[in-house]
Amino acid sequence: MTRASVQLAELMLEGGGSVDPSKSPTERFDLFSIAAYDTGAPEKATGAEIGSPKKCVAPNDVLLSRIVPHIRRCWIVPAADGDRQIASGEWIVFRSGDIEPAYLRHCLLSDKFHHQYMRTVSGVGGSLLRARPAEVGKIEIPLPSRAEQKRIAGILHKVDAIRSRRRRADALAA
């Protein structure tokens, strides 16, 4: 039997561990930073280059940016290429075997979610605004069967690809 919805708190990673890369100065890491999000790939950096402690993440974790929340940033951690995967503390990390990562990502980027998400924000403005994870955890999202999640995510992936091609075509035509 499937549930109609789930509170995000049930999907949020509690703990999960952290690492201080400066203690491994020559080790290479895949760093999921806010800045790297716009490039589409994690930063490849040594522990000496990173310095400060970071969250440990794993393939299929879903990362939601809590900083400057009006800019929608949500990332699925890909399969590791051999380097340890770590993330900035500015990400809220979701990990659950009960939800399809691509489906969750689409939910977290949706207009309906974003409207609720913006109500969880505190701070004085601009880059100082942050979503409060405890409040984000109270938001509910639909939870269809795993098969239906995969089907929905597949459709939405195709729609995103079409939109992307359209934007490129429009840019070429301009």
Side-chain angles (χ1 to χ4, degrees), residues 1 8 15-16 19-20 30 64 98 103 144 160 164 171:
M1 180 176 202
L8 288 175
V19 64
D20 183 350
D30 286 343
L64 176 66
D98 295 331
Y103 172 79
D160 285 347
S164 179

Side-chain angles (χ1 to χ4, degrees), residues 39-59:
T39 70
E43 295 174 48
K44 293 284 193 178
T46 64
E49 294 169 319
I50 298 167
S52 62
K54 303 294 180 213
K55 295 179 177 184
C56 296
V57 293

Side-chain angles (χ1 to χ4, degrees), residues 30-44:
D30 286 343
L31 173 60
F32 292 84
S33 66
I34 300 297
Y37 178 84
D38 292 332
T39 70
E43 295 174 48
K44 293 284 193 178

Side-chain angles (χ1 to χ4, degrees), residues 139-160:
I139 299 173
E140 289 194 17
I141 61 167
L143 188 65
S145 71
R146 192 70 185 253
E148 185 66 2
Q149 291 174 38
K150 286 182 181 184
R151 189 184 76 76
I152 291 168
I155 291 168
L156 293 174
H157 178 73
K158 288 177 186 175
V159 169
D160 285 347

Side-chain angles (χ1 to χ4, degrees), residues 14-171:
E14 293 296 326
S18 64
V19 64
D20 183 350
S22 67
K23 292 184 178 175
S24 303
T26 60
E27 182 180 350
R28 292 191 55 79
F29 293 88
D30 286 343
L31 173 60
F32 292 84
S33 66
I34 300 297
Y37 178 84
D38 292 332
T39 70
E43 295 174 48
K44 293 284 193 178
T46 64
E49 294 169 319
I50 298 167
S52 62
K54 303 294 180 213
K55 295 179 177 184
C56 296
V57 293
N60 291 319
D61 282 354
V62 179
L63 311 178
L64 176 66
S65 173
R66 57 186 294 262
I67 187 172
V68 193
H70 65 279
I71 300 174
R72 299 179 196 195
R73 295 183 187 104
C74 188
W75 215 342
I76 299 172
V77 177
D81 65 2
D83 294 332
R84 275 200 280 177
Q85 296 175 309
I86 57 176
S88 156
E90 297 296 352
W91 296 105
I92 299 171
V93 181
F94 298 91
R95 183 184 296 168
S96 174
D98 295 331
I99 197 157
E100 189 66 29
Y103 172 79
L104 177 57
R105 180 178 182 274
H106 282 290
C107 286
L108 298 176
L109 291 173
S110 73
D111 289 341
K112 181 178 179 182
F113 171 79
H114 192 70
H115 179 72
Q116 296 173 78
Y117 185 61
M118 291 305 293
R119 292 183 188 158
T120 72
V121 172
S122 65
V124 294
S127 64
L128 299 176
L129 286 176
R130 302 269 189 301
R132 294 171 296 188
E135 294 301 309
V136 174
K138 296 176 184 175
I139 299 173
E140 289 194 17
I141 61 167
L143 188 65
S145 71
R146 192 70 185 253
E148 185 66 2
Q149 291 174 38
K150 286 182 181 184
R151 189 184 76 76
I152 291 168
I155 291 168
L156 293 174
H157 178 73
K158 288 177 186 175
V159 169
D160 285 347
I162 291 167
R163 285 182 185 146
S164 179
R165 285 194 298 272
R166 177 59 190 235
R167 279 191 297 273
R168 284 195 301 271
D170 288 348

